[in-house]
Amino acid sequence: MSPWEILRFALRGIGANKLRSSLTMLGILIGVAAVILLVAVGNGSAKAISDRIEALGTNTLTVMSTSRGSGGLTMAVAGALDDPVLAPDVASVSPVVSTSATLTYDGSDHEVSAFVGTTPDWFTASNFGVGSGSAFTADDEAQARRVTVIGQTVAEELFPGIDPVGVQVTIGGALFTVVGVLEEKSSSGFQDANDTAVAPISAVRQVIAGYGALSSILVEARGSGMVDTAQSEITTILDRKLPAGSSGTAAYRIQNASQLLETQTETADTFTTLLGAVAAISLLVGGIGITNIMLVTVTERTREIGIRKALGAPRRVILTQFLIEATLLSVIGGGLGVAAAVLGSRFEIVGVRPVIVPSSVVLALGVSILIGLFFGGLPAARAARLRPIDALRYE
Amino acid sequence: MPGSRPVLDVRDVTKVYGEGDTLVRALDGVTLRVDRADYVAIMGSSGSGKSTLMNILGCLDVPSTGAYLIDGVDVGSLSDSQLALVRNRLIGFVFQAFNLIPRTSAVANVELPLAYSGIRSAERRRRAMFALDLVGLADRAGHQPNQLSGGQQQRVAVARALVTEPALLLADEPTGNLDSHATEEVLAVFEDLNAAGRTIVLITHEDEVGARADRLITLFDGRIVS
């Protein structure tokens, strides 16, 4: 009997039992799709986290004061950090005051959580591009001009349908002219990074924040490879300017964006591993489902195998037919599972955009097909070895 | 060399089921020779071992002791694939329980033995339709077994046994579920085959069917009594 002929027999065998065949394929489909999607969601969330951190700028250091109130970071400290001799790897230093403020325009108002006063270097250091209009200049800062650059969220809330550039808004009782709108930036979880307004630090201190301590100092290193040397350089300067308190606690701390990225990536990796474990369990459960239905299918057909043997079918032909049936069911079911997963990954799942990991596709498909083949083939081989009369009498 | 060597040569065959207290001797030393072109009917009451003997003759089962030769070849010495060849080429078997493949059309059922002997699709279809026509079921070729009556299923099974034109036709109660008209048709087919030189062994409990055979064998408690 030619292989082609056996293939036709196998197709007829699948077609003769449409319900059972489709249930088998459904079982395999769900197993494969679940594994691929779970891993894709894990991978997607990991990717989202690293994207957000990269958006913050990976070659920046943020200096923050640990003591509350006055005496912490001052403009003098910020100025000292911008020292080409002691800190050659520092590209720019931006002092930052940040306060919440209410923006009012044409009767409607909007509260921003971060009204940032800083210098023009801040835009490049914090990786914030200006979409329309322009950033304020060093001259604006020196003259304490009341100009501001607003975030996307503010622009949408306060100026629906209008170009905000050139418009005057009231911030904390003073009129500010909007000179630009920030580019949209992906935000990290709780805080909307686009819900912000940026103005010259001199103007912000004059109008709202006063002349107290700075909120933080944003230091930009010359490159992502120089972040750690820049950190040790500014540490030396800061230790001199801000000696540790009597209790021995440092007066400041430095947040390193690339360290943050590393930690977050590790967290995300753990998350992926966890999801992988869940996926492995679902693969196992799916595999047991496939095993079950394959065993039942072949056992149910032991009588048929007996009839075929009585009519003179060689063992090899029977075995080949059942193996082809099992292969087709597993491959079609697995293929549909991959298709379902690819389709599913186009949608956001629990707020995460899944990113498919190719190796998970290979693994899920491979394991399902192997299980299908093994547990479809093994009982068929056993039944084909029986004497025809024993197979015929099988109940 | 017709006649010089028996087609079927059963030598002191026993078949034992179970063990200890539940031991049953289904066949207890049966010796039987069937020559080429013989037409043999086996009769006997229920439990006399008719079906067991038939299964052994059809190479579906193996004897516990004793030897069974087809055309002088000891079946016990054949490999699995050689046995498959014997079942396919030499023997046509009609089961009492029809044993058609479910959810498969009548004509596909009849084609099955031809497919296993490697005959091409078109030729297969032609011969299967011819065999179905012979048992009067050409118009039911596309029906599945569960759409056919018991008698019709039996006739499909007969057609399937005939389709390879085997030298040896074994039939376990082939007319058991048929009306007198269909019985007559099937027996006529058997007689035609017999006249063409084929050997036929059938089981029956109907005396008039047994009377059509050349030779009558009666089994009782696993032994041949006449």
Side-chain angles (χ1 to χ4, degrees), chain A residues 88-171:
Chain A
D89 292 317
V90 171
S92 73
V93 176
S94 318
V96 173
V97 286
S98 179
T99 168
S100 62
T102 306
L103 280 74
T104 315
Y105 169 72
D106 199 20
S108 58
D109 52 357
H110 177 79
E111 167 124 18
V112 288
S113 48
F115 180 47
V116 177
T118 187
T119 55
D121 287 333
W122 180 87
F123 290 97
T124 42
S126 66
N127 216 7
F128 250 128
V130 178
S132 60
S134 60
F136 54 81
T137 59
D139 188 45
D140 291 332
E141 205 274 317
Q143 303 294 322
R145 289 202 188 101
R146 291 174 187 178
V147 289
T148 182
V149 179
I150 57 174
Q152 280 287 345
T153 307
V154 181
E156 282 158 22
E157 290 282 326
L158 220 48
F159 307 100
I162 342 170
D163 180 14
V165 176
V167 173
Q168 286 198 318
V169 288
T170 314
I171 306 175

Side-chain angles (χ1 to χ4, degrees), chain A residues 16 28 31 47 69 72 88 93 104 138 144 206 248 258 263 268 270 291 311 324 329 338 342 354 368 381:
Chain A
I28 299 172
K47 221 179 171 66
V93 176
T104 315
Q206 209 173 69
S258 62
T263 328
T270 316
T291 308
L311 296 178
I324 292 175
L329 289 177
V338 172
V342 168
S368 304

Side-chain angles (χ1 to χ4, degrees), chain A residues 232-248:
Chain A
S232 61
E233 286 160 14
I234 61 171
T235 307
T236 317
I237 302 169
L238 285 171
D239 279 344
R240 197 147 15 99
K241 293 278 179 189
L242 301 167
S246 51
S247 55

Side-chain angles (χ1 to χ4, degrees), chain A residues 16-43:
Chain A
N17 268 295
K18 293 190 183 63
L19 180 68
R20 191 176 57 200
S21 302
S22 39
L23 279 178
T24 311
M25 284 194 280
L26 186 69
I28 299 172
L29 186 156
I30 290 173
V32 170
V35 172
I36 297 175
L37 265 187
L38 276 171
V39 175
V41 167
N43 186 39

Side-chain angles (χ1 to χ4, degrees), chain B residues 167-223:
Chain B
L168 177 61
L169 189 75
L170 303 172
D172 193 347
E173 301 268 12
T175 58
N177 290 303
L178 303 185
D179 60 28
S180 59
H181 182 66
T183 299
E184 188 52 46
E185 279 183 347
V186 169
L187 289 179
V189 168
F190 283 4
E191 272 159 23
D192 285 351
L193 288 170
N194 184 233
R198 301 187 196 284
T199 314
I200 295 174
V201 179
L202 60 80
I203 290 178
T204 186
H205 58 262
E206 294 166 77
D207 292 331
E208 56 268 36
V209 175
R212 301 279 283 267
D214 300 339
R215 196 172 141 201
L216 202 61
I217 291 171
T218 310
L219 272 178
F220 183 75
D221 277 356
R223 293 166 189 274

